[in-house]
Amino acid sequence: MTDLSRIRNFCIIAHIDHGKSTLADRLLSITGTLTAAQAQGQVLDSMDLEKERGITIKAHAIRMEHRTPEGELYVLNLIDTPGHVDFSYEVSRSLAACEGAILVVDASQGVEAQTISNLHLAMEGDLEIIPVLNKIDLPGAEPARIKKQIVDLLGGDPEDILEMSAKAGIGVEALIPEMIRRIPPPKGDPKAPLRALIFDSAFDQYRGTIAYVRVVDGTMRPGMTVQFFSNKRKYLVDEVGALRLKMEKRTELHAGEVGYVVAGVKNIADAKVGDTLMDAESPVAEPLAPYVEAKSMVFSGFYPIDSEDYENLRDALDKLTLNDASLHYEPETSTALGFGFRCGFLGLLHREIVQERLEREFNLALIGTVPTVPYRVHMLNGSMVEIESPAQLPKLAEVSHIEEPIISAEIVVPTEFIGNIMKLGQERRGVQGTMEYLDPTRVLLHFKFPLAEIIFDFYDKLKSITKGYASFDYEYAGYEQAPVQKLDILLNGDPVDALSIIVHRDKAYEWGRSLCEKLKEVIPRQQFAVAIQAAVGAKVISRETVSALRKNVTAKCYGGDISRKRKLLEKQKEGKKRMKQVGSVTIPQEAFLSVLKIER
């Protein structure tokens, strides 16, 4: 049994692309967890998508062992965390299972918005923070200036901030003794009743749900019966073990340790993230601090291009939700697109990742509808309904008012771009809060934005107006009343529900005009004229027409009476009219993407 004083549970927090995965790889190499033959870039990033994009999507955990020069053996449990704002709930899971956090800051880019956000999460969890300056070997590195930023943020002594280059291997070895010295060992009693926190779970088709746990009190062994606190369901433990590069079977997991448990749990929903696992024979009265359940903030419909793939899409979504508890879906139908699923995501990146995984891993061709956010509709009869798509909006005559979700945002930007950010904030209905100078050249701006205004191209716009220097982080901040309304798109008088959007009253005309113009560019010409209209209620606010493809029916007339030509043209006109009544307009995927590209 490992002595509690020799265990250190820690995570690495950083802004995206500040070298977190590279540092994790370097620690694995130094502790001998990773052999030279196994070494490859981003070892803990197991998905192809993670390696291609250079981001961490799923949290991972791994056990390392380090022997000090005095001969003492320490167990270091690293719980890796994602770096993108969409996956901040994964960060909060990991932090609850740790006693310490390594804060990685890029020596050339400095403190970013998400660095601050994740740091606040770590401080709320009362974790010991070890600040680290990475990429000091880059030509643009400014260690002295960035150290001052970290001290202004954290306090303390600049001498305590470690300097390193994880990629080049400079200074990383000095980190391990600092972690052992500064991060406190876990508290807990191996002889007390069992309490273990589930911080992640994965599904194995042969063994069922595998729960990744941090044992806080007691000991877990194969053969004992465990019970989930939330649903009171009991399971017999088949296997416990440590998380190294592969799962390593053990005889027991005791207080302070991080590992996995296999107990024949068939449904991943039973092993909820944040739940407490306890001994069924001596259950505890109080659970460990629960996590906030991941709440979908962006909704979009997925429809198979080939209707025969509907069942395959259902199976693919079923399999994805086994390893991604934050993805929610339910069946829906669209008059334009047929049968599909309405899916809930944490953000736009999460939506993009899910669509890419469905298309790659399950070989599906999909159409994704316009992303929307959840609205609260208060009815005149006093009831309230939450809607996730424009199609669910009740009749306006029955509605009292509508509330939209608001987010609280932090933007870190060089001072020369403050004016650009203010302008962007006004365009996106933002309300500016406080402004704090991190140093003479960088400022932290606080804004409140409607979520609907940032889910499309806000991040791209922010990067382009600040030459790529701005960083952005946000958190959900509740609902506020807003004058929003439904904007319908009609093709030849028939509404296309998949292209409907909910917009602010002041922006309805501008959106309608832009959307009609974009659709005119992407909808292919037919044998008949196609009218594209934008309407609010019964009022049409914009119209474009895709002209018909015409055959020159008068080509065979050489001279002769004009009435002969006119007769042929009238006959063609009648044919076009009949065709328009029965003809259907094919809507390409670009039509749905065009909504995302509207200039605002």
Side-chain angles (χ1 to χ4, degrees), residues 124-258:
E124 282 167 20
D126 204 22
L127 270 62
E128 178 65 35
I129 314 284
I130 301 176
V132 163
L133 212 54
N134 192 24
K135 306 190 187 181
I136 57 161
D137 56 334
L138 289 183
E142 299 177 73
R145 184 174 70 85
I146 308 303
K147 275 187 179 182
K148 187 178 182 306
Q149 284 182 11
I150 297 172
V151 170
D152 291 345
L153 196 65
L154 266 181
D157 189 345
E159 298 301 315
D160 292 338
I161 300 169
L162 302 176
E163 294 185 20
M164 66 174 64
S165 168
K167 196 165 192 176
I170 303 164
V172 183
E173 293 200 15
L175 177 60
I176 294 176
E178 281 295 301
M179 282 162 43
I180 291 170
R181 183 176 70 82
R182 290 164 67 174
I183 296 175
K187 298 185 179 79
D189 182 1
K191 293 177 182 164
L194 174 67
R195 286 195 309 163
L197 182 71
I198 301 172
F199 64 85
D200 202 1
S201 55
F203 191 80
D204 184 296
Q205 59 180 343
Y206 302 110
R207 307 167 84 189
T209 300
I210 299 168
Y212 298 150
V213 296
R214 154 72 198 277
V215 183
V216 176
D217 285 317
T219 306
M220 196 185 302
R221 299 182 184 88
M224 72 185 287
T225 305
V226 292
Q227 183 176 350
F228 292 104
F229 193 92
S230 64
N231 53 31
K232 303 293 185 265
R233 291 193 177 150
K234 298 179 182 179
Y235 293 94
L236 185 71
V237 176
D238 295 330
E239 184 183 314
V240 297
L243 294 156
R244 289 174 79 80
L245 278 181
K246 292 183 178 172
M247 291 182 187
E248 202 172 82
K249 198 171 174 181
R250 295 282 163 104
T251 54
E252 65 176 29
L253 280 179
H254 63 78
E257 288 196 307
V258 173

Side-chain angles (χ1 to χ4, degrees), residues 392-437:
Q392 298 170 337
L393 191 66
K395 290 176 183 171
L396 287 178
E398 301 168 4
V399 174
S400 163
H401 63 275
I402 301 174
E403 291 180 332
E404 63 179 351
I406 301 294
I407 55 122
S408 175
E410 291 180 339
I411 301 172
V412 175
V413 67
T415 49
E416 66 204 80
F417 300 114
I418 291 174
N420 294 359
I421 298 292
M422 302 286 192
K423 188 179 173 206
L424 181 65
Q426 284 176 346
E427 288 170 4
R428 299 306 172 93
R429 298 193 282 131
V431 177
Q432 195 196 333
T434 56
M435 186 191 296
E436 301 164 33
Y437 280 85

